[in-house]
Amino acid sequence: MLNLDAISAATSSSDEARVRHFYEQLQLGRFHLAFQSVKAAADPQRSLYQEGLLRSNGEPLGFNPFAVLERKHAIRRLDRCVVDAIIALLQSYPNLTLGCNVSAQSTSLDYYWEQVLQRLADSEVASRLVIEITESSAPNSHDQAVEFVHQLRSTGCHVAIDDFGSGFGTLAFIQHAQPDIIKIDQGYVQRARRSSLHAKTLRHLVGLCNTLAPHVVVEGVETADDLAMGLDCEAQWVQGFLFSRAQRLIDGLDTPCVLKTE
């Protein structure tokens, strides 16, 4: 008979060790941001912004750090490190428009975020910053998350809902938060390749999202057929390997963005 308590305790202990290992590696500068562009579907020469994605400088960790950090409610420290790095890049490179992910667990206005809001209000950086809220975990509070989005947008910062349709994000949250960008999870494109029914679902989802946000991005565009499908769905923006994989250096950025935290 399975001892579920013992399995749960072992998993928790393993997760705690992984959290410690991850932050030890982060402190040693073992991670960097790589950037992937969000492209105009009808004109891929145009970009909306470059999304910064966490990548390892060396050997893979052997586990998904985001899932572990969210399970242990330990992801806020990483989110703060990434946001600080992106803001520093925007201050150093005034021609860039950059985005980064933060967990829904981080969407409450604590002292750190109040300081970020003040920094954004006191500079021209906000209009070139996109904060992407991921759906892999639920926010601690619906109302606090809505206020978080409103306060960020009040500085001129843009807010995106990432991987929409794959996790905890709801239409109610989007209607109340009123983000600038909705990014449709790549799973919809993957399923649409195999089935006309799923292609129809994608088309309807893009149409719905177009009523909820000024910009809609279809993620996971890997082939010319995927792009054609996105255009057929009347998607404004697309992102995926068809255009490029995430890169350490991009036009306008001549130094890798190595992350490091105390």
Side-chain angles (χ1 to χ4, degrees), residues 73-254:
H73 294 271
I75 200 165
R76 295 169 75 94
R77 181 179 171 194
L78 172 62
D79 285 346
R80 293 170 181 178
C81 177
V82 171
V83 170
D84 285 343
I86 288 289
I87 291 176
L89 285 178
L90 292 172
Q91 290 171 331
S92 299
Y93 298 91
N95 293 324
L96 292 179
T97 299
L98 303 175
C100 64
N101 295 324
V102 302
S103 168
Q105 292 182 6
S106 292
T107 56
S108 56
L109 293 173
D110 55 15
Y111 176 75
Y112 168 78
W113 282 110
E114 294 290 352
Q115 295 296 108
V116 168
L117 290 171
Q118 189 61 55
R119 289 165 66 191
L120 294 177
D122 291 343
S123 72
E124 51 74 46
V125 163
S127 64
R128 297 185 289 113
L129 172 64
V130 180
I131 297 293
E132 298 192 15
I133 300 173
T134 63
E135 286 204 340
S136 50
S137 179
N140 297 325
S141 161
H142 171 93
D143 291 343
Q144 289 182 15
V146 168
E147 181 63 14
F148 175 86
V149 174
H150 289 173
Q151 289 297 321
L152 276 175
R153 294 190 69 224
S154 73
T155 68
C157 172
H158 305 286
V159 176
I161 304 301
D162 195 21
D163 300 329
F164 181 64
S166 68
F168 288 90
T170 65
L171 287 177
F173 174 70
I174 288 177
Q175 288 171 326
H176 293 147
Q178 298 181 316
D180 303 278
I181 303 163
I182 298 175
K183 303 183 73 177
I184 296 175
D185 183 69
Q186 64 180 346
Y188 287 89
V189 166
Q190 293 168 354
R191 290 186 289 273
R193 292 176 193 143
R194 304 191 298 267
S195 160
S196 60
L197 176 61
H198 286 109
K200 185 176 181 180
T201 298
L202 175 61
R203 189 177 304 112
H204 285 308
L205 184 56
V206 171
L208 172 64
C209 290
N210 276 327
T211 71
L212 297 170
H215 303 284
V216 176
V217 181
V218 173
E219 299 181 297
V221 173
E222 299 181 355
T223 68
D225 287 343
D226 290 346
L227 177 59
M229 185 163 49
L231 288 167
D232 182 61
C233 293
E234 299 185 354
Q236 302 164 291
W237 305 95
V238 289
Q239 184 177 12
F241 293 161
L242 175 62
F243 310 104
S244 72
R245 294 181 179 271
Q247 301 176 1
R248 288 168 63 103
L249 298 179
I250 55 175
D251 289 344
L253 177 64
D254 55 13

Side-chain angles (χ1 to χ4, degrees), residues 24-68:
E24 287 169 357
Q25 295 299 298
L26 184 64
Q27 188 173 5
L28 291 171
R30 301 284 171 80
F31 297 95
H32 66 274
L33 292 180
F35 295 90
Q36 187 179 49
S37 184
V38 174
K39 299 285 191 178
D43 180 11
Q45 296 302 312
R46 288 199 303 125
S47 296
L48 186 61
Y49 64 97
Q50 302 273 354
E51 178 187 2
L53 299 163
L54 186 72
R55 294 291 186 265
S56 173
N57 294 336
E59 291 296 320
L61 287 172
F63 60 90
N64 178 351
F66 308 111
V68 172

